[in-house]
Amino acid sequence: GATLYQFYLYNNASATGSITSWLTPAQVGASSGFATNIQSAPLATGSYSWNVRVQNIVGLGPWSANMNFSVP
């Protein structure tokens, strides 16, 4: 299984993105099946996409496909 997670959050309107530091499964709530506690500040209204990749004993995995969401 994954020992570390890294997330990429992209703001579609401003064409800017940021990558988190490596986070443990406990930090992202992986045992619940839902990632939590990733973004420290509220997001502005708009359209976003995000990706995740994992690291384990075998090495670094690829980035996931884009996943999109909107903040009303």
Side-chain angles (χ1 to χ4, degrees), residues 9-12 46-51 65-71:
L9 178 65
Y10 183 77
N11 182 321
N12 296 322
S47 173
Y48 296 86
S49 61
W50 66 280
N51 308 75
N66 284 347
M67 293 167 265
N68 300 302
F69 68 97
S70 295
V71 176

Side-chain angles (χ1 to χ4, degrees), residues 4-72:
L4 294 171
Y5 295 83
Q6 190 172 45
F7 293 86
Y8 178 70
L9 178 65
Y10 183 77
N11 182 321
N12 296 322
S14 66
T16 58
S18 63
I19 297 176
T20 65
S21 58
W22 286 101
L23 303 169
T24 66
Q27 289 174 298
V28 300
S31 63
S32 70
F34 297 95
T36 60
N37 204 22
I38 303 303
Q39 182 66 25
S40 59
L43 296 174
T45 299
S47 173
Y48 296 86
S49 61
W50 66 280
N51 308 75
V52 62
R53 65 180 174 176
V54 299
Q55 183 173 330
N56 63 21
I57 197 165
V58 176
L60 181 62
W63 286 105
S64 68
N66 284 347
M67 293 167 265
N68 300 302
F69 68 97
S70 295
V71 176

